Amino acid sequence: MYSKLNYYMRLLNNNTRLILILALLLLCLVPATYHKAPANGFHFDDYFNIVRHPSIWMTEFTLEGLYKAGSEGLLPSRALPNISFAIDWWRGAGKPGTFQQTNIGLHTIATLLVFAFIFCLLRQHYTNNKRLIWIAFFGATLWALHPIQTQAVTYIVQRMASMASLFIMLSTLAYINGRLTVNKPRWAWFALSALAFACGALSKEIAWATPAFILLAEFGVVRHKQSLIQFRHDYLWLSLPIIVTLYLIVDITSGAGPLYAYAQEGYATRDFTLTERLLTQPRVIAFHLSQILWPMPERFSLEHDFIISTSLFNPLTTFFALLGLLAWCCFGLWLLFKQNTRIFGFLLLWLPLTLAIESSVIPLEMIFEHRMYLPSIALATTAAFGLAAAWQSSRRTAIITTVVAIAFCNFCIFSTMQRIPQWKNIVSLLESALDNAPNSTRLTGNLSLQYLLFDEKLKAKNMAIETLKRDDKNGTAIEALAILLTEENKLEEAQIKFRQAYSISGGAMQPDLMSRWADLEYKLGNYRRAIDFYLKAIEMSPREAHYHWRISKVYEATGNCAAVRTHLGHYISYINNEDAKRSARYQLSNLFQSPA
């Protein structure tokens, strides 16, 4: 077999062999850096989209199961990620490690596309392909192993973002190759571009902006060394972004447009307004750029203590960040309109274009690192162009720049490997986030509850009390105190706290909290209420074995033997502990001999 491989390798030219070797190296390097990620668990939206969503629980690989996952997911418009979740559930019986492995695999494929993307762009400006291959490899490595990507890779549900980014990149790259192909059929490239666009649109809504990326690639990459205006309709295409921008400005500022109405509905549940978000986002973008340039492990977090901008000069950095963003865009446009610099305009404008949706009017969280997954491709490509320029200069400059680049990549690998284990479980994740955002009562409230669930009762109590001193309406801290009071047999006080937490949450308590409240009602002898709460918990998380065990004890107290058999049967199906299974089977065979 080795002789056959050696024979085929000799048939390839030197550059093709080098590309294959470096691609194989990337295929090893990315999984090696993320080798600890499969030990990480589910977090936050993973539960709503995967763990507690029955349409994803595919136990047999069938077309019907795939269709159900795609059409009945929590976000049915994102069919492809939902289908991939179902396949992972089938492969790994719902274990998070399987989902993590798929995320790493998708990130590795995206890395190979970034490698091809950077090499394609470098070839439009430089010659000496062998050197450019190595430089593209550096750019792809920098992008793939930078710690700012950790959230997109390790947070399982963010597969939606990484898949959409992968398809946007593939669609744009295929279009560029189709346009640059000479004397060969181009339809295959354009068909691939259209297919990738469709797949991206079925992954996340951001991919609907793919035509804008293709339009930017046409003028910035395809026409890099050509005339900008080649056809009459080019004026229309160039004016289209200006028209869209003006429409959006009028829509938002008038307060009467459909986009403004949609956005305002979402801001009703946020602790910041639309105006505050628009003013803050330039500072958020500047912060992300600083993270990329200075990737210390402690600078990356689930949450950041970020001051909201309430006016153009409060804080003062708001004005300078907005000015910097405008200057960035204007400089990019200037480069785009100059022959032989258009590709640099493309790279500069890629950043604001990729952030235009999630970092503008949409009422999302103020800051999330996974949003830089797609924008950072242009930054890695820019770094590759910088290295290529250094190699065009003196030998001394080239060597120094290469050493710095290698050292920076190695530090990124170190920083990423430090960050990955923080996602192991919810406690480690929240603790690392609290180090970064110590003033967040949301974090302290969540952490107090998680400490309790991890049997750290003293830590839970102290943190819950401290949280409520700063925010007396923090529902998670109140829930933690309710559980503690239950365990201390202060049942009436606990009941008051549970009701208070339920009122604050608007009835949206998590299933584990519902089961804890059910435990309290069971202790109080309120069996009907206990059963109702257990059933709500089971409805939200039907495969949680302990919910079935607990409700079976209540049904046993009420003498409902049929219900006990049903829920003990579910318990046996879902529990992994063999001793627990034997104990439940013994109970089934001995406690209820007569029919219900």
Side-chain angles (χ1 to χ4, degrees), residues 96-146:
T98 308
F99 292 83
Q100 293 282 358
Q101 290 166 0
T102 301
N103 274 27
I104 295 168
L106 288 169
H107 185 54
T108 306
I109 295 170
T111 302
L112 295 178
L113 278 175
V114 171
F115 180 34
F117 185 80
I118 295 174
F119 181 56
C120 176
L121 265 60
L122 286 170
R123 284 173 54 186
Q124 306 315 306
H125 193 73
Y126 295 105
T127 54
N128 193 335
N129 281 350
K130 187 172 183 179
R131 182 186 295 169
L132 296 183
I133 293 167
W134 279 103
I135 293 171
F137 171 76
F138 153 73
T141 303
L142 175 62
W143 177 83
L145 304 181
H146 197 286

Short mmCIF file of all heavy atoms in Angstrom, two decimals, residues 96-146:
data_model
loop_
_atom_site.label_atom_id
_atom_site.label_comp_id
_atom_site.label_asym_id
_atom_site.label_seq_id
_atom_site.Cartn_x
_atom_site.Cartn_y
_atom_site.Cartn_z
N PRO A 96 -22.50 13.75 25.18
CA PRO A 96 -21.99 15.01 24.62
C PRO A 96 -20.67 14.86 23.86
O PRO A 96 -20.39 15.63 22.95
CB PRO A 96 -21.82 15.91 25.84
CG PRO A 96 -21.75 14.99 27.02
CD PRO A 96 -22.60 13.82 26.66
N GLY A 97 -19.85 13.86 24.22
CA GLY A 97 -18.57 13.66 23.55
C GLY A 97 -18.72 13.45 22.05
O GLY A 97 -17.89 13.93 21.27
N THR A 98 -19.77 12.76 21.64
CA THR A 98 -20.01 12.53 20.22
C THR A 98 -20.29 13.84 19.49
O THR A 98 -19.79 14.09 18.39
CB THR A 98 -21.20 11.57 20.03
OG1 THR A 98 -20.98 10.40 20.81
CG2 THR A 98 -21.36 11.18 18.57
N PHE A 99 -21.07 14.69 20.11
CA PHE A 99 -21.38 16.01 19.52
C PHE A 99 -20.12 16.86 19.44
O PHE A 99 -19.91 17.57 18.44
CB PHE A 99 -22.44 16.72 20.37
CG PHE A 99 -23.79 16.08 20.33
CD1 PHE A 99 -24.10 15.00 21.15
CD2 PHE A 99 -24.78 16.56 19.48
CE1 PHE A 99 -25.35 14.41 21.12
CE2 PHE A 99 -26.04 15.98 19.44
CZ PHE A 99 -26.32 14.89 20.27
N GLN A 100 -19.28 16.79 20.47
CA GLN A 100 -18.04 17.55 20.46
C GLN A 100 -17.13 17.09 19.32
O GLN A 100 -16.49 17.91 18.65
CB GLN A 100 -17.31 17.38 21.81
CG GLN A 100 -18.02 17.99 22.99
CD GLN A 100 -17.86 19.50 23.08
OE1 GLN A 100 -17.18 20.11 22.26
NE2 GLN A 100 -18.48 20.11 24.07
N GLN A 101 -17.07 15.77 19.10
CA GLN A 101 -16.23 15.25 18.01
C GLN A 101 -16.69 15.77 16.66
O GLN A 101 -15.86 16.14 15.80
CB GLN A 101 -16.28 13.72 18.03
CG GLN A 101 -15.55 13.10 19.21
CD GLN A 101 -15.88 11.63 19.39
OE1 GLN A 101 -16.67 11.05 18.63
NE2 GLN A 101 -15.30 11.00 20.41
N THR A 102 -18.00 15.84 16.45
CA THR A 102 -18.52 16.36 15.19
C THR A 102 -18.18 17.84 15.04
O THR A 102 -17.80 18.29 13.94
CB THR A 102 -20.05 16.17 15.11
OG1 THR A 102 -20.34 14.77 15.21
CG2 THR A 102 -20.60 16.71 13.80
N ASN A 103 -18.30 18.60 16.13
CA ASN A 103 -17.94 20.03 16.07
C ASN A 103 -16.48 20.20 15.68
O ASN A 103 -16.14 21.09 14.88
CB ASN A 103 -18.20 20.69 17.43
CG ASN A 103 -19.63 21.17 17.57
OD1 ASN A 103 -20.54 20.63 16.96
ND2 ASN A 103 -19.83 22.19 18.39
N ILE A 104 -15.62 19.38 16.24
CA ILE A 104 -14.19 19.44 15.91
C ILE A 104 -13.98 19.08 14.43
O ILE A 104 -13.19 19.71 13.72
CB ILE A 104 -13.36 18.51 16.82
CG1 ILE A 104 -13.45 19.00 18.27
CG2 ILE A 104 -11.90 18.45 16.38
CD1 ILE A 104 -12.92 17.99 19.28
N GLY A 105 -14.71 18.06 13.97
CA GLY A 105 -14.60 17.67 12.57
C GLY A 105 -15.03 18.78 11.62
O GLY A 105 -14.37 19.06 10.61
N LEU A 106 -16.13 19.46 11.95
CA LEU A 106 -16.59 20.58 11.12
C LEU A 106 -15.59 21.73 11.14
O LEU A 106 -15.34 22.36 10.11
CB LEU A 106 -17.95 21.07 11.63
CG LEU A 106 -19.14 20.14 11.34
CD1 LEU A 106 -20.37 20.59 12.13
CD2 LEU A 106 -19.46 20.11 9.85
N HIS A 107 -15.00 21.97 12.30
CA HIS A 107 -13.99 23.03 12.40
C HIS A 107 -12.75 22.69 11.57
O HIS A 107 -12.15 23.57 10.96
CB HIS A 107 -13.61 23.24 13.87
CG HIS A 107 -12.68 24.38 14.10
ND1 HIS A 107 -12.93 25.66 13.65
CD2 HIS A 107 -11.46 24.44 14.74
CE1 HIS A 107 -11.92 26.46 14.01
NE2 HIS A 107 -11.03 25.74 14.65
N THR A 108 -12.42 21.42 11.54
CA THR A 108 -11.27 20.98 10.73
C THR A 108 -11.54 21.17 9.25
O THR A 108 -10.68 21.64 8.50
CB THR A 108 -10.95 19.50 11.03
OG1 THR A 108 -10.77 19.31 12.43
CG2 THR A 108 -9.69 19.05 10.31
N ILE A 109 -12.76 20.82 8.81
CA ILE A 109 -13.13 21.03 7.40
C ILE A 109 -13.10 22.51 7.06
O ILE A 109 -12.60 22.92 6.01
CB ILE A 109 -14.52 20.43 7.12
CG1 ILE A 109 -14.49 18.91 7.28
CG2 ILE A 109 -15.01 20.80 5.72
CD1 ILE A 109 -15.86 18.26 7.27
N ALA A 110 -13.63 23.33 7.98
CA ALA A 110 -13.61 24.79 7.77
C ALA A 110 -12.17 25.29 7.66
O ALA A 110 -11.89 26.20 6.87
CB ALA A 110 -14.34 25.49 8.92
N THR A 111 -11.27 24.70 8.43
CA THR A 111 -9.86 25.10 8.39
C THR A 111 -9.25 24.82 7.02
O THR A 111 -8.50 25.64 6.48
CB THR A 111 -9.06 24.35 9.48
OG1 THR A 111 -9.64 24.64 10.75
CG2 THR A 111 -7.60 24.78 9.48
N LEU A 112 -9.59 23.67 6.44
CA LEU A 112 -9.09 23.35 5.09
C LEU A 112 -9.63 24.35 4.06
O LEU A 112 -8.92 24.75 3.14
CB LEU A 112 -9.50 21.93 4.71
CG LEU A 112 -8.89 20.80 5.55
CD1 LEU A 112 -9.42 19.45 5.10
CD2 LEU A 112 -7.36 20.83 5.47
N LEU A 113 -10.89 24.76 4.25
CA LEU A 113 -11.46 25.77 3.34
C LEU A 113 -10.77 27.12 3.51
O LEU A 113 -10.53 27.83 2.53
CB LEU A 113 -12.96 25.92 3.61
CG LEU A 113 -13.86 24.87 2.94
CD1 LEU A 113 -15.31 25.07 3.38
CD2 LEU A 113 -13.76 24.95 1.42
N VAL A 114 -10.44 27.47 4.75
CA VAL A 114 -9.71 28.72 4.99
C VAL A 114 -8.34 28.65 4.33
O VAL A 114 -7.86 29.64 3.74
CB VAL A 114 -9.58 28.99 6.51
CG1 VAL A 114 -8.63 30.16 6.79
CG2 VAL A 114 -10.94 29.29 7.11
N PHE A 115 -7.69 27.50 4.42
CA PHE A 115 -6.40 27.27 3.75
C PHE A 115 -6.53 27.55 2.25
O PHE A 115 -5.74 28.29 1.66
CB PHE A 115 -5.98 25.82 4.04
CG PHE A 115 -4.66 25.41 3.43
CD1 PHE A 115 -3.60 26.30 3.28
CD2 PHE A 115 -4.47 24.09 3.01
CE1 PHE A 115 -2.39 25.90 2.73
CE2 PHE A 115 -3.26 23.68 2.46
CZ PHE A 115 -2.22 24.59 2.32
N ALA A 116 -7.56 26.95 1.63
CA ALA A 116 -7.79 27.16 0.19
C ALA A 116 -8.16 28.61 -0.11
O ALA A 116 -7.71 29.19 -1.11
CB ALA A 116 -8.90 26.22 -0.29
N PHE A 117 -8.96 29.21 0.76
CA PHE A 117 -9.42 30.59 0.58
C PHE A 117 -8.24 31.56 0.59
O PHE A 117 -8.10 32.41 -0.28
CB PHE A 117 -10.41 30.91 1.71
CG PHE A 117 -11.07 32.25 1.61
CD1 PHE A 117 -12.14 32.46 0.77
CD2 PHE A 117 -10.63 33.31 2.39
CE1 PHE A 117 -12.77 33.69 0.69
CE2 PHE A 117 -11.24 34.55 2.33
CZ PHE A 117 -12.31 34.74 1.47
N ILE A 118 -7.36 31.40 1.58
CA ILE A 118 -6.21 32.30 1.70
C ILE A 118 -5.26 32.12 0.52
O ILE A 118 -4.76 33.09 -0.06
CB ILE A 118 -5.47 32.06 3.03
CG1 ILE A 118 -6.38 32.44 4.21
CG2 ILE A 118 -4.18 32.87 3.11
CD1 ILE A 118 -5.80 32.11 5.57
N PHE A 119 -5.01 30.86 0.14
CA PHE A 119 -4.12 30.59 -0.99
C PHE A 119 -4.68 31.20 -2.27
O PHE A 119 -3.95 31.80 -3.07
CB PHE A 119 -3.92 29.08 -1.15
CG PHE A 119 -2.99 28.70 -2.27
CD1 PHE A 119 -1.69 29.19 -2.33
CD2 PHE A 119 -3.42 27.86 -3.28
CE1 PHE A 119 -0.83 28.85 -3.36
CE2 PHE A 119 -2.57 27.51 -4.32
CZ PHE A 119 -1.28 28.01 -4.36
N CYS A 120 -6.00 31.07 -2.45
CA CYS A 120 -6.65 31.64 -3.64
C CYS A 120 -6.46 33.15 -3.69
O CYS A 120 -6.14 33.71 -4.74
CB CYS A 120 -8.14 31.28 -3.61
SG CYS A 120 -9.10 32.00 -4.96
N LEU A 121 -6.62 33.83 -2.56
CA LEU A 121 -6.49 35.28 -2.53
C LEU A 121 -5.04 35.72 -2.71
O LEU A 121 -4.75 36.70 -3.41
CB LEU A 121 -7.06 35.84 -1.23
CG LEU A 121 -8.53 36.32 -1.29
CD1 LEU A 121 -9.46 35.17 -1.69
CD2 LEU A 121 -8.96 36.92 0.02
N LEU A 122 -4.11 34.99 -2.09
CA LEU A 122 -2.69 35.33 -2.22
C LEU A 122 -2.23 35.26 -3.67
O LEU A 122 -1.43 36.09 -4.13
CB LEU A 122 -1.84 34.40 -1.35
CG LEU A 122 -1.87 34.63 0.17
CD1 LEU A 122 -1.19 33.48 0.89
CD2 LEU A 122 -1.18 35.95 0.53
N ARG A 123 -2.74 34.26 -4.39
CA ARG A 123 -2.32 34.07 -5.79
C ARG A 123 -2.79 35.21 -6.69
O ARG A 123 -2.24 35.40 -7.78
CB ARG A 123 -2.88 32.75 -6.32
CG ARG A 123 -2.12 31.54 -5.80
CD ARG A 123 -2.79 30.25 -6.20
NE ARG A 123 -3.02 30.17 -7.65
CZ ARG A 123 -3.71 29.18 -8.23
NH1 ARG A 123 -4.22 28.22 -7.48
NH2 ARG A 123 -3.89 29.17 -9.53
N GLN A 124 -3.82 35.97 -6.26
CA GLN A 124 -4.28 37.09 -7.07
C GLN A 124 -3.33 38.28 -6.99
O GLN A 124 -3.42 39.21 -7.80
CB GLN A 124 -5.68 37.52 -6.63
CG GLN A 124 -6.73 36.42 -6.61
CD GLN A 124 -6.69 35.55 -7.83
OE1 GLN A 124 -6.77 36.05 -8.96
NE2 GLN A 124 -6.58 34.24 -7.62
N HIS A 125 -2.42 38.27 -6.00
CA HIS A 125 -1.55 39.43 -5.79
C HIS A 125 -0.06 39.09 -5.90
O HIS A 125 0.74 39.95 -6.24
CB HIS A 125 -1.84 40.03 -4.41
CG HIS A 125 -1.25 41.39 -4.20
ND1 HIS A 125 -1.77 42.52 -4.80
CD2 HIS A 125 -0.18 41.81 -3.46
CE1 HIS A 125 -1.05 43.58 -4.44
NE2 HIS A 125 -0.08 43.18 -3.63
N TYR A 126 0.29 37.84 -5.59
CA TYR A 126 1.70 37.44 -5.58
C TYR A 126 1.93 36.24 -6.50
O TYR A 126 1.00 35.54 -6.88
CB TYR A 126 2.14 37.05 -4.16
CG TYR A 126 2.13 38.18 -3.16
CD1 TYR A 126 1.13 38.27 -2.21
CD2 TYR A 126 3.15 39.15 -3.15
CE1 TYR A 126 1.11 39.30 -1.27
CE2 TYR A 126 3.14 40.18 -2.23
CZ TYR A 126 2.13 40.24 -1.30
OH TYR A 126 2.13 41.27 -0.37
N THR A 127 3.19 36.02 -6.81
CA THR A 127 3.60 34.80 -7.52
C THR A 127 4.35 33.91 -6.53
O THR A 127 4.22 34.08 -5.33
CB THR A 127 4.49 35.16 -8.73
OG1 THR A 127 5.59 35.97 -8.27
CG2 THR A 127 3.70 35.94 -9.77
N ASN A 128 5.16 32.99 -7.02
CA ASN A 128 5.91 32.04 -6.18
C ASN A 128 4.95 31.20 -5.35
O ASN A 128 4.81 31.36 -4.13
CB ASN A 128 6.91 32.77 -5.27
CG ASN A 128 7.90 31.79 -4.62
OD1 ASN A 128 7.60 30.59 -4.47
ND2 ASN A 128 9.06 32.29 -4.25
N ASN A 129 4.28 30.27 -6.01
CA ASN A 129 3.23 29.48 -5.37
C ASN A 129 3.70 28.68 -4.17
O ASN A 129 2.97 28.51 -3.20
CB ASN A 129 2.59 28.54 -6.40
CG ASN A 129 1.60 29.27 -7.28
OD1 ASN A 129 1.26 30.41 -7.01
ND2 ASN A 129 1.16 28.61 -8.34
N LYS A 130 4.93 28.14 -4.24
CA LYS A 130 5.40 27.30 -3.14
C LYS A 130 5.46 28.10 -1.84
O LYS A 130 5.03 27.62 -0.78
CB LYS A 130 6.78 26.74 -3.47
CG LYS A 130 7.27 25.72 -2.44
CD LYS A 130 8.55 25.04 -2.90
CE LYS A 130 8.97 23.97 -1.89
NZ LYS A 130 10.20 23.27 -2.32
N ARG A 131 5.97 29.32 -1.89
CA ARG A 131 6.02 30.16 -0.69
C ARG A 131 4.61 30.51 -0.23
O ARG A 131 4.32 30.52 0.97
CB ARG A 131 6.81 31.43 -0.99
CG ARG A 131 6.98 32.36 0.20
CD ARG A 131 7.64 33.65 -0.23
NE ARG A 131 9.01 33.41 -0.69
CZ ARG A 131 9.75 34.32 -1.33
NH1 ARG A 131 9.23 35.51 -1.59
NH2 ARG A 131 10.98 34.03 -1.71
N LEU A 132 3.73 30.79 -1.20
CA LEU A 132 2.36 31.17 -0.85
C LEU A 132 1.62 30.03 -0.16
O LEU A 132 0.77 30.26 0.70
CB LEU A 132 1.59 31.60 -2.10
CG LEU A 132 2.11 32.85 -2.83
CD1 LEU A 132 1.20 33.19 -4.00
CD2 LEU A 132 2.22 34.03 -1.88
N ILE A 133 1.94 28.79 -0.53
CA ILE A 133 1.29 27.63 0.12
C ILE A 133 1.64 27.61 1.60
O ILE A 133 0.77 27.41 2.46
CB ILE A 133 1.73 26.33 -0.58
CG1 ILE A 133 1.18 26.27 -2.00
CG2 ILE A 133 1.23 25.11 0.20
CD1 ILE A 133 1.78 25.19 -2.87
N TRP A 134 2.91 27.83 1.92
CA TRP A 134 3.33 27.85 3.32
C TRP A 134 2.68 29.01 4.07
O TRP A 134 2.25 28.87 5.23
CB TRP A 134 4.86 27.98 3.41
CG TRP A 134 5.57 26.68 3.22
CD1 TRP A 134 6.23 26.26 2.11
CD2 TRP A 134 5.69 25.62 4.18
NE1 TRP A 134 6.77 25.01 2.29
CE2 TRP A 134 6.45 24.59 3.56
CE3 TRP A 134 5.24 25.44 5.47
CZ2 TRP A 134 6.76 23.40 4.22
CZ3 TRP A 134 5.53 24.26 6.14
CH2 TRP A 134 6.29 23.25 5.51
N ILE A 135 2.59 30.16 3.43
CA ILE A 135 1.98 31.33 4.07
C ILE A 135 0.49 31.09 4.30
O ILE A 135 -0.06 31.45 5.36
CB ILE A 135 2.22 32.59 3.23
CG1 ILE A 135 3.72 32.93 3.22
CG2 ILE A 135 1.42 33.77 3.75
CD1 ILE A 135 4.10 34.03 2.25
N ALA A 136 -0.20 30.48 3.32
CA ALA A 136 -1.62 30.14 3.50
C ALA A 136 -1.80 29.15 4.64
O ALA A 136 -2.78 29.23 5.41
CB ALA A 136 -2.18 29.57 2.20
N PHE A 137 -0.86 28.22 4.78
CA PHE A 137 -0.90 27.26 5.88
C PHE A 137 -0.80 27.99 7.22
O PHE A 137 -1.52 27.68 8.18
CB PHE A 137 0.24 26.26 5.73
CG PHE A 137 0.42 25.35 6.92
CD1 PHE A 137 -0.45 24.29 7.15
CD2 PHE A 137 1.46 25.56 7.82
CE1 PHE A 137 -0.29 23.46 8.25
CE2 PHE A 137 1.63 24.73 8.91
CZ PHE A 137 0.75 23.68 9.13
N PHE A 138 0.09 28.99 7.29
CA PHE A 138 0.21 29.78 8.51
C PHE A 138 -1.10 30.50 8.82
O PHE A 138 -1.58 30.49 9.96
CB PHE A 138 1.34 30.81 8.36
CG PHE A 138 1.16 32.04 9.21
CD1 PHE A 138 1.34 32.00 10.58
CD2 PHE A 138 0.77 33.26 8.63
CE1 PHE A 138 1.14 33.13 11.36
CE2 PHE A 138 0.58 34.38 9.39
CZ PHE A 138 0.76 34.32 10.76
N GLY A 139 -1.72 31.12 7.81
CA GLY A 139 -2.97 31.84 8.02
C GLY A 139 -4.08 30.93 8.50
O GLY A 139 -4.83 31.27 9.41
N ALA A 140 -4.18 29.74 7.89
CA ALA A 140 -5.22 28.78 8.29
C ALA A 140 -4.98 28.28 9.72
O ALA A 140 -5.93 28.11 10.49
CB ALA A 140 -5.24 27.60 7.32
N THR A 141 -3.72 28.03 10.06
CA THR A 141 -3.39 27.57 11.42
C THR A 141 -3.73 28.65 12.43
O THR A 141 -4.31 28.37 13.50
CB THR A 141 -1.89 27.22 11.51
OG1 THR A 141 -1.57 26.24 10.52
CG2 THR A 141 -1.54 26.69 12.89
N LEU A 142 -3.37 29.88 12.12
CA LEU A 142 -3.68 31.00 13.02
C LEU A 142 -5.18 31.11 13.24
O LEU A 142 -5.64 31.28 14.38
CB LEU A 142 -3.13 32.30 12.42
CG LEU A 142 -3.47 33.60 13.16
CD1 LEU A 142 -2.88 33.58 14.56
CD2 LEU A 142 -2.96 34.81 12.38
N TRP A 143 -5.95 31.02 12.17
CA TRP A 143 -7.41 31.12 12.29
C TRP A 143 -7.98 29.96 13.11
O TRP A 143 -8.78 30.18 14.03
CB TRP A 143 -8.05 31.14 10.91
CG TRP A 143 -9.55 31.17 10.99
CD1 TRP A 143 -10.35 32.26 11.18
CD2 TRP A 143 -10.44 30.04 10.89
NE1 TRP A 143 -11.67 31.89 11.22
CE2 TRP A 143 -11.75 30.54 11.05
CE3 TRP A 143 -10.25 28.68 10.71
CZ2 TRP A 143 -12.87 29.70 11.02
CZ3 TRP A 143 -11.37 27.84 10.68
CH2 TRP A 143 -12.66 28.36 10.83
N ALA A 144 -7.57 28.75 12.79
CA ALA A 144 -8.17 27.56 13.39
C ALA A 144 -7.87 27.42 14.87
O ALA A 144 -8.72 26.97 15.64
CB ALA A 144 -7.70 26.31 12.65
N LEU A 145 -6.66 27.81 15.28
CA LEU A 145 -6.21 27.51 16.64
C LEU A 145 -6.20 28.73 17.54
O LEU A 145 -5.71 28.66 18.67
CB LEU A 145 -4.82 26.86 16.58
CG LEU A 145 -4.76 25.60 15.69
CD1 LEU A 145 -3.37 25.00 15.71
CD2 LEU A 145 -5.79 24.57 16.13
N HIS A 146 -6.73 29.83 17.05
CA HIS A 146 -6.84 31.02 17.90
C HIS A 146 -7.91 30.79 18.97
O HIS A 146 -8.97 30.22 18.68
CB HIS A 146 -7.19 32.24 17.06
CG HIS A 146 -6.92 33.54 17.75
ND1 HIS A 146 -7.72 34.01 18.77
CD2 HIS A 146 -5.93 34.46 17.60
CE1 HIS A 146 -7.25 35.16 19.20
NE2 HIS A 146 -6.17 35.46 18.50
#
